[in-house]
Amino acid sequence: MHQTFRSQLAAIACIAACVFTTAVPVTTQAQTTTPQAVTAETTASTRMAIDTAASALPAVAHKAAAVQKLDNPYGLEALWTQSDLVAKAVLMILAVMSMGSWYVIVTKLLEQGRMLRQARKAENEFWPAGTLQTGTERLEQSSPFRFVAEAGLHASSKHGGLHAKVDFADWVDLSLHRATERIQRRLANGMSLLATVGSTSPFVGLFGTVWGIYHALTAIGVAGQASIDKVAGPVGESLIMTAIGLAVAVPAVLGYNWLLRRNTAVMDEVRDFSGELHTVLLASAQQPART
């Protein structure tokens, strides 16, 4: 590449020299031209040649940089263009795993943050209400605390028929427990994907590593010698596969542990709300009997 760049510079210099040498005889052949005119014309021709060469230098440098970029056989672009179907499939699988894990991490963080804000709202607006119905209506439709409150109200109003054979406290406790478990299952959505990506993506990258080493050994066998130019490409491909597999696995594992801890904090708020609601429902059911 450097030899090509030097040859292009030499060609530009030759063009400038030709322009200079051709300009001088023309001016000397004119009998009526003064030495000052000859010097001015020669200087103008030389400046024109220099300007032409200077304007051509950026194009030559850009072309040399483009050649250098295309000739790099160890980058990600070369990995994709020169790899076979198996290596491309491994890269696609790792890309899908990475996008899926980041999608789960971002969406779960937003969901958990919204639930924590709804917990503070339930604490400030539900319990100061005069009745359970009024407090429930103050909560958002998507709030898990409204879902638990509606489950408790539904249980207290449906305690009849065969359900009446069950103690009221046990019936309400069962209904609130069901609602709490549904919220917990909702929070657990996507966590299995993070666990799967964190545990399998290193092995997917390792498969790409083994496949790259296989290509390196094949290149050595075909060439009959273990030269660096024969094995550098496949070995570099295998190392890139390993790095990509680790880059996919580490965020998934860290995100899983972080989201699991935040899920525990959210469920603590939900269970506290459910226990307090259970006590209020029992107290509301016993008030008519006392009067």
Side-chain angles (χ1 to χ4, degrees), residues 23-46:
V24 173
V26 172
T27 55
T28 56
Q29 289 177 1
Q31 299 297 326
T32 59
T33 306
T34 62
Q36 292 81 3
V38 172
T39 303
E41 292 179 1
T42 303
T43 304
S45 301
T46 304

Side-chain angles (χ1 to χ4, degrees), residues 166-229:
V166 182
D167 184 69
F168 181 75
D170 295 336
W171 170 247
V172 172
D173 181 69
L174 177 62
S175 300
L176 295 178
H177 178 73
R178 288 176 179 175
T180 304
E181 291 298 319
R182 289 182 181 179
I183 296 173
Q184 186 174 7
R185 287 193 297 268
R186 175 185 171 184
L187 283 174
N189 290 336
M191 300 296 291
S192 59
L193 176 63
L194 292 179
T196 302
V197 171
S199 59
T200 59
S201 58
F203 296 99
V204 176
L206 181 61
F207 175 78
T209 302
V210 174
W211 192 255
I213 294 175
Y214 163 73
H215 279 292
L217 296 177
T218 303
I220 293 173
V222 172
Q225 57 182 356
S227 58
I228 189 64
D229 58 337

Side-chain angles (χ1 to χ4, degrees), residues 17-286:
C18 291
V19 174
F20 177 75
T21 54
T22 54
V24 173
V26 172
T27 55
T28 56
Q29 289 177 1
Q31 299 297 326
T32 59
T33 306
T34 62
Q36 292 81 3
V38 172
T39 303
E41 292 179 1
T42 303
T43 304
S45 301
T46 304
R47 288 179 178 176
M48 185 181 298
I50 293 174
D51 293 339
T52 304
S55 62
L57 284 176
V60 174
H62 179 72
K63 183 177 180 181
V67 172
Q68 182 181 6
K69 182 178 180 181
L70 292 176
D71 290 342
N72 183 15
Y74 309 115
L76 292 176
E77 183 179 358
L79 173 62
W80 178 259
T81 56
Q82 298 176 7
S83 60
D84 56 359
L85 184 61
V86 176
K88 290 181 179 179
V90 172
L91 287 174
M92 291 298 297
I93 292 173
L94 290 175
V96 171
M97 285 183 171
S98 179
M99 290 186 293
S101 61
W102 279 109
Y103 174 79
V104 171
I105 290 173
V106 173
T107 54
K108 296 302 291 182
L109 285 175
L110 295 176
E111 181 184 15
Q112 291 170 349
R114 184 175 64 253
M115 286 186 175
L116 291 175
R117 290 193 300 270
Q118 291 171 347
R120 291 191 294 268
K121 184 176 181 179
E123 183 70 23
N124 297 328
E125 298 184 6
F126 180 81
W127 300 115
T131 61
L132 292 176
Q133 186 66 35
T134 303
T136 303
E137 293 176 353
R138 291 181 179 180
L139 301 179
E140 300 176 5
Q141 290 289 340
S142 61
S143 175
F145 302 94
R146 176 162 183 166
F147 179 74
V148 173
E150 290 178 347
L153 291 175
H154 181 76
S156 61
S157 62
K158 297 296 181 180
H159 188 248
L162 294 176
H163 294 159
K165 299 181 180 295
V166 182
D167 184 69
F168 181 75
D170 295 336
W171 170 247
V172 172
D173 181 69
L174 177 62
S175 300
L176 295 178
H177 178 73
R178 288 176 179 175
T180 304
E181 291 298 319
R182 289 182 181 179
I183 296 173
Q184 186 174 7
R185 287 193 297 268
R186 175 185 171 184
L187 283 174
N189 290 336
M191 300 296 291
S192 59
L193 176 63
L194 292 179
T196 302
V197 171
S199 59
T200 59
S201 58
F203 296 99
V204 176
L206 181 61
F207 175 78
T209 302
V210 174
W211 192 255
I213 294 175
Y214 163 73
H215 279 292
L217 296 177
T218 303
I220 293 173
V222 172
Q225 57 182 356
S227 58
I228 189 64
D229 58 337
K230 299 297 182 182
V231 300
V235 171
E237 173 184 331
S238 62
L239 294 177
I240 291 176
M241 291 291 188
T242 304
I244 294 176
L246 294 176
V248 174
V250 171
V253 174
L254 295 178
Y256 176 83
N257 294 329
W258 187 23
L259 294 176
L260 190 64
R261 185 171 64 253
R262 287 172 61 91
N263 278 348
T264 302
V266 174
M267 288 308 303
D268 288 341
E269 297 288 343
V270 174
R271 291 191 179 95
D272 291 342
F273 180 83
S274 177
E276 294 177 7
L277 181 62
H278 181 262
T279 304
V280 172
L281 288 173
L282 293 182
S284 301
Q286 294 174 1

